[in-house]
Amino acid sequence: MSDHTSNILLESGTNELEIIMFSIAGGLFGINVLKVREIINPLPMTETPNSHPHIEGVIRLRQEVIPVINLAQVLNLPPSSNPQQDKLIIAEFNRLKVAFHVHEVSRIHRISWEQIEKPSQLFHSGHAHTIGIVKLESQMALLLDFEKIVVDINPEAGLSIEKVRALGVRERSEKKIYIAEDSAVLRNLLKDTLNEAGYVNLHFFENGKGAWEALHTLVEQHGQAATNFVDLLISDIEMPQMDGHHLTKRVKTDSVLSNLPVVIFSSLITEDLYHKGERVGADAQIGKPEIVQLVEMLDSLLQKG
């Protein structure tokens, strides 16, 4: 796979994505192409003493030292039965580069986010690392929460409430903020950190579709006055049912909601995706986990004194 993926998904806000399918112990999983830098055969690995049990060690790739995460261990699945087929998926998000050790890589599928269902609570209890079930013609695959996997291993990769506290005493704001974020872990972290920053009127949605339906209901109920009931929207990009770019495009092309400020807060703010966010009309785009930048942007857009 090439190191550059800007040729895919040239349209902005189409609610589509491309996923690379891979297998672990016979199970089928997926990762968004936009997270993937390249796929390589395993390289010589250096073990790291006292590291997290899910870290196999580190590899050296073109002068970079990259940690290797054993996904079979993360998912409590058996090791590879055919190690010569194993691959390393070199991924980059949250400003980190990591290698995911998988057992086999198959192909790329282009799908709609509508084909990805949120796991039920019953399913979720045993699959805490799954954010979506991908429905293909003849099979299903699990879309993993790679951010959660990394934050579980390295909590410093997540949002830091201490960084917000360093901003000093914050004035309380009753501005109503809608937040579309599919990761339960990040919803809780956002709640805690934004509360610490003084933003207490938060309304969370598990995906873009839920946020859009709530916004559309406001328009149906209140017409042109709908924006009196919501002051700003924060959205992730990757979400089942409706992604953040499509959500932003809908808001910005709506005659009533078009002036609602939209901030994209995502682990995927590459140059190409930044341009996509601009094209759909996002007012600001901030890469996770830069929570202080997010708070300062909220202060600016909401004119919080």
Side-chain angles (χ1 to χ4, degrees), residues 93 128-130 145-153 183 185-186:
F93 52 88
H129 296 295
T130 302
D145 188 344
F146 292 95
E147 282 87 351
K148 181 180 187 301
I149 290 168
V150 169
V151 170
D152 283 352
I153 292 170
S183 168
V185 172
L186 279 169

Side-chain angles (χ1 to χ4, degrees), residues 70 113 149 154 172 277 286:
N70 187 326
W113 279 104
I149 290 168
N154 177 21
R172 181 184 169 98
I286 295 167

Side-chain angles (χ1 to χ4, degrees), residues 74-129:
V74 171
L75 301 171
N76 199 25
L77 292 171
S80 176
S81 58
N82 196 2
Q84 61 268 32
Q85 283 192 332
D86 286 12
K87 299 289 183 187
L88 295 181
I89 297 176
I90 310 299
E92 188 171 11
F93 52 88
N94 282 11
R95 306 193 180 194
L96 295 171
K97 196 173 276 190
V98 295
F100 292 108
H101 180 182
V102 305
H103 296 170
E104 193 174 355
V105 174
S106 52
R107 53 169 291 200
I108 294 177
H109 288 265
R110 183 168 185 154
I111 62 170
S112 165
W113 279 104
E114 292 178 2
Q115 289 171 252
I116 301 178
E117 295 283 350
K118 180 182 178 294
S120 69
Q121 286 305 113
L122 184 64
F123 180 91
H124 231 302
S125 62
H127 295 77
H129 296 295

